[in-house]
Amino acid sequence: MAKLLALSCLRNDRWGQLSPRPHYPSMPSYPKGVSLQKPDSEPESTAVFSVVGMTCAACAGSVEKAVKRLPGIREALVDVLNNRAQVFFFPSFVNEETIREAIEDCGFEATLLTDDVTDKSVQVCRIQIKGMTCTSCSSTVESALQALQGVIKAQVALATEEAGVQYNPNVITYEQIMDAIEDTGFEAVLISSGEDLSKIDLQVKGASADRSITLLEESLQALPGVLAVDIHPELNKVSISYKPDMTGPRNFIKVIEETGSGHFKAEIFPQEGGRRDTHRNKEIDQYYRSFLWSLLFTIPIFLTSMVLMYIPGIKDVLESKVVNMLTVGEVARLVLATPVQFVIGRRFYSGSYKSLRRGSANMDVLIALGTNAAYFYSVYTVARAATSKDFKGTDFFETSAMLISFILLGKYLEILAKGKTSNAIAKLMNLTPDTAILLTLDNEGNVISEEEIDSRLVQKNDVIKIVPGAKVASDGFVIWGQSHVNESMITGEARPVAKRKGDTVIGGTVNEKGVLRIKATRVGSESALSQIVRLVESAQMAKAPVQKLADRISKYFVPLVILISFTTWFAWFLAGRFNAYPKSWIPSSMDSFQLALQFGISVMVIACPCALGLATPTAVMVGTGVGASQGVLIKGGQALESAHKVNCIVFDKTGTLTVGKPVVVNTKLFTNMALRDFYELVAAAEENSEHPLAKAVVEYAKKFKDEENPSWLEAQDFVSITGHGVKATVRNQEIIVGNKSLMTSHSIAVPSDAEDILAEAEAMAQTGILVSINREVIGVLAISDPLKPGAEEVISILKSMKIRSIMVTGDNWGTANSIAREVGIETVIAEAKPEQKAEKVKEFQASGHTVAMVGDGINDSPALVAADVGMAIGAGTDIAIEAADIVLMKSNLEDVITAIDLSRKTFSRIRLNYFWALGYNLLGIPIAAGALFPSTRFRLPPWIAGAAMAASSVSVVCCSLLLKYYKRPKKLDNLEIRSIRIESSSDTMHGN
């Protein structure tokens, strides 16, 4: 199943976390006792590996962890998009072959790359495409891009009018990609080239001479961390690409102003708002003005042909002859209709020409053919009337003019409505505050000065003051103060979250009462807010599989309509010529040819390919936007379509059904060893493990130490046995900490007392951990991880939705069954390793279920990838590197229900859109062709057919917009949210 790479598809130099606390626990880079400083005699080496088989950023995380476990590793960077791993290491401790084997032990194929192939081989650019009107246009552009050598993948979204292109920069440039789009007849505007995630535009005043510009460029290039400097003298603009870890915009401004000895002034380049919004507003304005001008000419045409002809006096004036049978009314309508047809309606000629030039036909072709048929037939009648003394004919100038007017009105309303579908992104982008208060501290942390600056000038490691009621300027963590922060705009969490020293904050959230000082960790395009925006934008670009139906229809739609239109005209023309219907059927103002022509034109203009093309993407845009506002990030149409079919949900236990913060609640020793000494050994063994239970043990062991961040004994020969426990040598004693099966596999006898304590703990839904020293069990730890509030109610609601719930955990059977009974889950799979979880998911899929996996996105990543829909729960700000299709920003289980319900509502709206779009065409075309005329004498004039066509597109978009009023199921409003209370007991029982 194809997974949306989301933000990972945008090029970045490294995978960053959004929190100062690492998403993946750091591993020891050196053997204990080895200096972390680079040895003078030992040069650092760099190796780049091609890693095949990674499907998501969670895979990248597992590779990074495996490499960092090796001794002598300074840093490891893994790029899942480019399938690369870059490792910095000291050769005296480790070599390339050992690193390669460590990667392969993770289940991936690794190859050491030589220097000439280590360059970045994949970049992504986003391009705005102006002029697309229907799926035929977007399909044509997509096909043209896919045909380019060097383009790996291209997605073109009609609703957002954007293209996302993955390409090899060694083969093709983004300029060539834009040229290819222009060759298809559309205007292309670059939004991002994939190189500008850390890029800023500055406006520089005073640097006009060539020497000044050269000096400026050299000064900026000399700054550490500056990657590229691009100067545009005509705009007084300097574009700088840089590494945010090393430098930032304030440094650039300082250097620029120092370079010019005070003559140069620099500031953030003024922006006109989002490029998409700017283009859309311009387009709305163009259609509005075109419609008003068209109306100015069309109303007199309509009046002279439909109304004034029945008013005595005015009728005589209009029917007075100019030349032969040519009347004043016909001349007036010709003069008024011509600018509407060729000046106001020139966009349809231009669109038709471009469409036909690239070998396809779109809506513009239908409009141009229909209006031309009406206009040029009318010109023919005027010419005949001017040259004949007895010709009597009727012109259709009002048909062509009113058609164009109604279509322009429809396009105006459609673009207006489409703009509202992307309001979610606009709201997110507006969350960032305009200014920030920058603090300067001395070495002791005292404030020396504070200064209000543009929030875009905030750099990494800056200290920012957040006053009550102010928005947080960037992602970071609290270094002083305490307060409550409203994070509802980011996570959807309604209740303010308490913040104190060490806690993380998210840019764009609102501080409530206290004053905070935060240290910035992620700024600009690296911030959580920016990544959420890019994720939602990527989601709105990704097509749902159901969209393929519209794409297939669009290929044949317009040619088929032209054929039906011509056939309709020809059939009615022959029927009239050979008197197949009574003469009384023909209106008094027409002859049989004109009647046939009106039927043909009506067919041509009533058919609407736009409604089909907008049915899916507009609903997906609104659905993903609504989800983002409720803390549910849905990564595109594929996830939406799969989620609405889910009938089986597999839950991980720790951190998903439970709080995920286990604590030691009981300790039983079978020896006279002091608790302090016991935990000294156990913590030393567990310190290097990333498992939540290991962290709970280490945290509990700190109670027996005097210092806040104690150092533990050196652990040698550390081995982590996934799903079972750890093994290490501490003070020349073999320490094994883990479950019963780990002891059994090492032939260690488990005393009956220990068996009883394990059974008792498991009956209380606690996890029992055995500790052996030198192959003798000397203690048992009981660890409790309480259930999340509302877990039982959520499982009950899922049952009412006919969704089966299953729990898969690496914990023991006793604890797993106790938890399952408490929440009401009937099917339990325990003692499962991460890869076994994925196998179980596949088994349920093979039995005919559509499976969703709900996990924390780290240990459960294989299962998240294997499931039809992967949901990462409680992911917080780490959304950029999740393996899931749906990211639940809050830790509330109820959001699982919200995600599924929203996907069902969105997909039902897509079905409704298709039903309307297809039904409209299937019903409207026969009526326009005169199917009701023989029995009811009802016919659809072309201008009414054109109005109906315009209304169909608007109605589909408006139908999608109704999703904005989505409310989560009422059952969730009544869900009782209990408080969580974990009781840690230090009661210790000693025994011999």
Side-chain angles (χ1 to χ4, degrees):
M1 174 177 143
K3 294 287 180 181
L4 179 64
L5 289 174
L7 305 178
S8 63
C9 70
L10 297 169
R11 184 184 177 210
N12 206 338
D13 287 337
R14 61 178 293 163
W15 296 100
Q17 290 80 35
L18 300 167
S19 160
R21 299 190 181 100
H23 187 76
Y24 298 108
S26 56
M27 297 297 164
S29 299
Y30 301 87
K32 293 284 186 180
V34 176
S35 171
L36 297 182
Q37 300 296 322
K38 185 173 80 171
D40 294 334
S41 59
E42 177 70 4
E44 179 183 293
S45 295
T46 304
V48 179
F49 299 86
S50 168
V51 185
V52 179
M54 294 190 296
T55 58
C56 62
C59 300
S62 63
V63 171
E64 185 174 321
K65 285 192 290 183
V67 173
K68 284 185 174 180
R69 281 199 180 101
L70 298 173
I73 302 296
R74 186 180 72 77
E75 182 62 286
L77 307 175
V78 183
D79 184 344
V80 69
L81 180 61
N82 297 320
N83 292 317
R84 296 282 191 272
Q86 186 175 21
V87 184
F88 302 90
F89 65 97
F90 295 111
S92 62
F93 296 115
V94 69
N95 57 33
E96 290 94 339
E97 182 60 24
T98 305
I99 297 170
R100 190 188 65 79
E101 288 175 357
I103 296 172
E104 294 207 332
D105 288 342
C106 293
F108 305 104
E109 184 181 337
T111 309
L112 179 67
L113 298 178
T114 55
D115 291 341
D116 58 340
V117 293
T118 57
D119 294 335
K120 291 280 184 181
S121 59
V122 177
Q123 288 184 13
V124 176
C125 65
R126 285 176 57 226
I127 299 169
Q128 187 178 74
I129 304 173
K130 300 180 182 179
M132 294 192 299
T133 57
C134 62
T135 48
S136 174
C137 302
S138 57
S139 298
T140 300
V141 176
E142 197 168 287
S143 300
L145 291 174
Q146 292 282 19
L148 293 175
Q149 187 175 2
V151 170
I152 299 162
K153 184 180 180 182
Q155 287 182 316
V156 179
L158 174 64
T160 59
E161 296 179 334
E162 287 181 13
V165 186
Q166 293 182 32
Y167 65 100
N168 186 338
N170 299 320
V171 180
I172 191 171
T173 65
Y174 66 80
E175 288 94 346
Q176 291 171 314
I177 294 172
M178 291 173 67
D179 289 341
I181 294 173
E182 303 255 353
D183 289 342
T184 61
F186 300 100
E187 184 182 346
V189 179
L190 183 68
I191 297 174
S192 65
S193 64
E195 299 173 336
D196 52 0
L197 282 184
S198 293
K199 183 177 180 179
I200 193 164
D201 295 331
L202 299 177
Q203 187 175 53
V204 181
K205 297 176 181 177
S208 55
D210 291 342
R211 187 176 177 281
S212 300
I213 292 171
T214 304
L215 185 64
L216 202 62
E217 188 172 3
E218 289 174 352
S219 300
L220 290 169
Q221 288 280 18
L223 271 178
V226 171
L227 302 175
V229 178
D230 191 12
I231 298 181
H232 309 274
E234 68 282 0
L235 299 173
N236 293 326
K237 185 168 83 170
V238 178
S239 299
I240 307 166
S241 298
Y242 63 97
K243 293 182 179 179
D245 289 345
M246 300 177 67
T247 189
R250 287 204 315 281
N251 295 347
F252 307 147
I253 291 174
K254 183 180 178 182
V255 166
I256 289 169
E257 294 182 349
E258 286 178 352
T259 301
S261 302
H263 297 297
F264 299 162
K265 295 294 179 185
E267 59 185 21
I268 300 285
F269 197 83
Q271 296 179 338
E272 299 178 358
R275 292 187 186 181
R276 180 194 294 173
D277 291 338
T278 303
H279 164 60
R280 180 166 284 133
N281 291 336
K282 185 178 177 183
E283 196 175 18
I284 288 171
D285 187 52
Q286 285 177 347
Y287 272 112
Y288 182 68
R289 282 189 284 107
S290 295
F291 169 66
L292 289 182
W293 277 107
S294 179
L295 207 60
L296 188 65
F297 290 97
T298 301
I299 290 175
I301 297 173
F302 174 77
L303 291 174
T304 57
S305 60
M306 300 282 188
V307 179
L308 301 178
M309 294 299 293
Y310 301 99
I311 300 176
I314 298 178
K315 177 183 178 182
D316 297 334
V317 174
L318 292 174
E319 290 185 348
S320 61
K321 304 295 188 292
V322 178
V323 178
N324 291 331
M325 299 300 290
L326 181 63
T327 65
V328 170
E330 288 173 330
V331 172
R333 287 191 289 274
L334 172 63
V335 171
L336 291 168
T338 300
V340 176
Q341 184 70 31
F342 297 109
V343 179
I344 298 170
R346 70 183 181 277
R347 67 176 68 242
F348 302 118
Y349 287 100
S350 175
S352 301
Y353 168 72
K354 291 174 181 177
S355 173
L356 294 172
R357 192 183 70 179
R358 61 180 181 261
S360 64
N362 63 5
M363 187 191 73
D364 289 335
V365 174
L366 295 178
I367 296 169
L369 284 174
T371 56
N372 276 341
Y375 178 83
F376 284 108
Y377 176 77
S378 301
V379 170
Y380 163 76
T381 61
V382 167
R384 281 291 306 274
T387 57
S388 174
K389 293 183 179 181
D390 56 359
F391 175 79
K392 286 187 178 181
T394 304
D395 64 80
F396 294 145
F397 285 122
E398 82 285 349
T399 296
S400 66
M402 290 175 73
L403 260 176
I404 289 173
S405 296
F406 276 115
I407 289 164
L408 289 172
L409 174 62
K411 291 299 291 182
Y412 166 71
L413 295 174
E414 180 188 320
I415 294 168
L416 207 60
K418 277 165 65 178
K420 296 182 186 297
T421 63
S422 57
N423 277 354
I425 292 177
K427 286 179 182 177
L428 285 170
M429 295 178 75
N430 290 333
L431 290 177
T432 308
D434 295 327
T435 60
I437 301 174
L438 176 68
L439 299 181
T440 304
L441 307 180
D442 60 19
N443 294 332
E444 296 179 358
N446 299 315
V447 177
I448 300 174
S449 66
E450 60 180 62
E451 176 190 2
E452 189 172 53
I453 62 170
D454 190 312
S455 63
R456 291 171 293 177
L457 295 177
V458 174
Q459 298 178 185
K460 188 175 180 181
N461 295 324
D462 280 346
V463 176
I464 306 297
K465 179 181 178 182
I466 314 294
V467 298
K471 291 181 180 178
V472 178
S474 75
D475 294 355
F477 61 96
V478 179
I479 62 170
W480 180 89
Q482 58 184 21
S483 181
H484 283 75
V485 175
N486 183 353
E487 298 182 345
S488 60
M489 62 290 297
I490 302 290
T491 66
E493 177 62 65
R495 289 167 296 185
V497 181
K499 300 291 181 183
R500 53 187 166 193
K501 186 176 179 180
D503 290 339
T504 60
V505 290
I506 308 171
T509 54
V510 178
N511 183 27
E512 296 217 323
K513 294 182 179 179
V515 177
L516 296 174
R517 293 179 194 163
I518 68 161
K519 192 168 189 176
T521 54
R522 296 286 165 189
V523 296
S525 59
E526 292 186 331
S527 68
L529 192 57
S530 296
Q531 295 195 37
I532 291 172
V533 169
R534 290 201 295 273
L535 189 149
V536 175
E537 286 178 335
S538 299
Q540 292 180 348
M541 188 166 291
K543 290 183 180 179
V546 71
Q547 176 70 20
K548 293 175 183 176
L549 171 66
D551 292 343
R552 282 196 296 268
I553 293 173
S554 70
K555 290 180 182 178
Y556 311 105
F557 187 87
V558 174
L560 183 62
V561 168
I562 294 172
L563 180 63
I564 294 172
S565 175
F566 180 79
T567 304
T568 299
W569 166 78
F570 194 63
W572 278 101
F573 173 70
L574 289 179
R577 177 58 62 91
F578 295 105
N579 300 314
Y581 58 82
K583 295 280 186 185
S584 60
W585 285 15
I586 304 173
S588 58
S589 60
M590 297 185 189
D591 57 24
S592 60
F593 176 83
Q594 292 171 331
L595 180 65
L597 184 63
Q598 282 226 346
F599 281 129
I601 293 172
S602 293
V603 169
M604 188 126 9
V605 297
I606 200 171
C608 184
C610 293
L612 276 172
L614 294 170
T616 299
T618 52
V620 169
M621 282 182 72
V622 180
T624 52
V626 168
S629 68
Q630 301 211 12
V632 178
L633 299 183
I634 302 171
K635 298 182 181 178
Q638 171 78 55
L640 267 175
E641 184 163 344
S642 299
H644 97 278
K645 301 175 185 174
V646 166
N647 52 22
C648 174
I649 298 183
V650 177
F651 289 95
D652 174 48
K653 180 180 76 70
T654 306
T656 302
L657 290 172
T658 64
V659 175
K661 293 181 180 177
V663 293
V664 176
V665 293
N666 206 352
T667 308
K668 166 73 174 179
L669 299 184
F670 304 109
T671 179
N672 289 325
M673 178 183 287
L675 267 179
R676 181 189 180 94
D677 297 336
F678 172 75
Y679 273 105
E680 183 88 15
L681 297 174
V682 175
E686 292 277 39
E687 183 193 12
N688 293 327
S689 173
E690 72 274 14
H691 198 281
L693 296 182
K695 291 181 179 178
V697 172
V698 174
E699 192 63 32
Y700 187 74
K702 289 180 181 178
K703 293 183 178 181
F704 301 96
K705 289 277 193 175
D706 296 331
E707 60 265 40
E708 186 177 342
N709 294 305
S711 58
W712 302 104
L713 297 170
E714 179 184 344
Q716 298 175 334
D717 305 323
F718 173 81
V719 179
S720 176
I721 301 101
T722 305
H724 294 284
V726 299
K727 177 182 175 183
T729 302
V730 183
R731 283 183 177 169
N732 296 321
Q733 299 180 88
E734 184 189 58
I735 311 294
I736 299 178
V737 185
N739 56 22
K740 183 179 175 182
S741 61
L742 180 62
M743 301 299 163
T744 304
S745 66
H746 283 77
S747 303
I748 298 173
V750 179
S752 58
D753 287 353
E755 296 267 17
D756 293 341
I757 294 170
L758 286 177
E760 183 182 334
E762 290 167 5
M764 296 170 64
Q766 297 171 354
T767 301
I769 294 179
L770 296 167
V771 179
S772 82
I773 300 179
N774 294 330
R775 299 192 167 267
E776 180 186 354
V777 174
I778 66 159
V780 181
L781 311 180
I783 297 180
S784 174
D785 187 8
L787 278 175
K788 280 186 177 173
E792 185 179 354
E793 291 90 339
V794 167
I795 300 301
S796 175
I797 293 171
L798 287 172
K799 282 182 182 177
S800 69
M801 295 170 69
K802 296 183 168 39
I803 296 175
R804 180 184 178 190
S805 297
I806 297 163
M807 187 174 79
V808 178
T809 178
D811 212 338
N812 61 74
W813 280 98
T815 304
N817 283 324
S818 296
I819 292 287
R821 280 195 302 272
E822 200 169 338
V823 297
I825 292 178
E826 297 173 0
T827 307
V828 181
I829 298 161
E831 299 180 6
K833 296 179 180 179
E835 62 273 14
Q836 290 173 329
K837 292 181 182 180
E839 290 301 321
K840 291 296 180 183
V841 166
K842 291 175 183 175
E843 287 178 18
F844 290 122
Q845 288 171 327
S847 64
H849 289 95
T850 301
V851 181
M853 171 70 194
V854 184
D856 58 17
I858 306 171
N859 298 328
D860 305 308
S861 57
L864 287 169
V865 174
D868 295 291
V869 181
M871 295 188 190
I873 189 168
T877 57
D878 295 316
I879 60 167
I881 51 175
E882 291 294 346
D885 301 291
I886 298 175
V887 180
L888 310 178
M889 296 287 286
K890 293 176 282 184
S891 294
N892 295 346
L893 271 175
E894 62 199 64
D895 282 347
V896 174
I897 297 171
T898 302
I900 292 174
D901 185 66
L902 176 60
S903 67
R904 289 180 175 180
K905 292 284 196 325
T906 303
F907 210 77
S908 68
R909 195 54 52 102
I910 291 173
R911 282 203 194 99
L912 183 62
N913 284 347
Y914 271 123
F915 177 79
W916 166 249
L918 286 170
Y920 162 81
N921 283 292
L922 292 174
L923 191 65
I925 290 174
I927 292 174
L932 301 179
F933 190 68
S935 57
T936 63
R937 303 294 179 275
F938 175 80
R939 64 185 177 86
L940 209 59
W943 63 273
I944 294 180
M949 183 271 284
S952 68
S953 296
V954 177
S955 62
V956 164
V957 177
C958 290
C959 184
S960 295
L961 278 173
L962 290 175
L963 272 172
K964 290 176 70 175
Y965 303 103
Y966 167 82
K967 301 291 183 186
R968 66 182 195 160
K970 289 185 178 179
K971 294 176 183 177
L972 296 180
D973 295 332
N974 301 323
L975 201 63
E976 181 185 354
I977 302 298
R978 303 183 304 269
S979 61
I980 304 170
R981 190 174 176 187
I982 304 172
E983 304 240 347
S984 279
S985 171
S986 58
D987 293 342
T988 308
M989 297 171 286
H990 295 273
N992 295 316

